[in-house]
Amino acid sequence: MTTVAIVYHSGYGHTEALAKAVAEGVKRGGATANIIKLESAAQDFTAALDAVSAADAVIFGSPTYMGDVSVPLRAFFEASSKVWFTQGWKDKLAAGFTVGATFGGNKDHTLTSMIVLSMQHGMLWSGPGVPNAQINRNSDAGANVPNRIGSALGVVTQADNAAADVTPPEGDREFARLHGERIAKLAAKLEA
Ligand SMILES: Cc1cc2nc3c(=O)[nH]c(=O)nc-3n(C[C@H](O)[C@H](O)[C@H](O)COP(=O)(O)O)c2cc1C
């Protein structure tokens, strides 16, 4: 069966809520989701690296901290140089998601870091393929529709300064599900 690894770090739970939504989407797409939470930059990454190696696709998740991936994910990326030497992730499908407190917040830069890492490994990056929501500027419907911020590189979402069970909103979570579903289906196609 097609397996998708979801490798993420979350300081305060918002990225984790999205990781769960991505996993729901992966299941909706007919694949198995292997969720791997990174706890710290100082941890042993061996099991996480092996899980990615064993998967058909990988989806990276990170909060945007100071305009980039958080330190545990960056440390994981550096640890993946061990795999780079054997080109072990070459031709694997890769994707990503992030969240920030603002609508801009340099979140594209977080995804760009993930894309650069994926390209260094020779992986195949896929965006979500969800057209940006056509939202009337004066409407508050944005929170209920996928891709309200308009990202083509990956899943970009926004969380208020509140608990992760209420934010990011449902539209952002569905965006994450749609991306998980897409990656699961694309990975199965590549496998075939
Ligand atoms: C150290 C730090 C830096 C942050 N930098 C940004 C930023 O550059 N852009 C942004 O939109 N939000 C920024 N935020 C807000 C977080 O991205 C936001 O609270 C997010 O929901 C946190 O995700 P998490 O709960 O998974 O840790 C920052 C938060 C912290 C703690």
Side-chain angles (χ1 to χ4, degrees), residues 44-60:
D44 180 353
F45 290 116
T46 307
L49 292 168
D50 288 349
V52 174
S53 296
D56 298 291
V58 58
I59 306 178
F60 300 115

Side-chain angles (χ1 to χ4, degrees), residues 30-90:
T32 299
N34 186 8
I35 305 181
I36 300 130
K37 182 177 186 180
L38 305 177
E39 300 288 350
S40 119
Q43 77 177 73
D44 180 353
F45 290 116
T46 307
L49 292 168
D50 288 349
V52 174
S53 296
D56 298 291
V58 58
I59 306 178
F60 300 115
S62 175
T64 291
Y65 287 168
M66 304 313 289
D68 210 334
V69 294
S70 58
V71 168
L73 191 67
R74 170 57 63 197
F76 173 77
F77 283 177
E78 288 190 16
S80 78
S81 62
K82 216 187 322 184
V83 183
W84 179 85
F85 279 109
T86 62
Q87 290 290 288
W89 293 354
K90 191 163 186 269

Side-chain angles (χ1 to χ4, degrees), residues 99-107 149 156-159:
V99 59
T102 66
F103 280 84
N106 302 119
K107 288 177 280 193
I149 293 170
V156 172
T157 65
Q158 181 272 334

Side-chain angles (χ1 to χ4, degrees), residues 12 14 100-102 158-164 166-168:
Y12 306 93
H14 302 98
T102 66
Q158 181 272 334
D160 296 338
N161 193 13
V166 293
T167 185

Side-chain angles (χ1 to χ4, degrees), residues 130-150:
V130 176
N132 58 295
Q134 302 294 317
I135 302 164
N136 180 323
R137 233 182 299 181
N138 300 316
S139 149
D140 62 0
N144 300 316
V145 292
N147 205 3
R148 62 187 167 131
I149 293 170

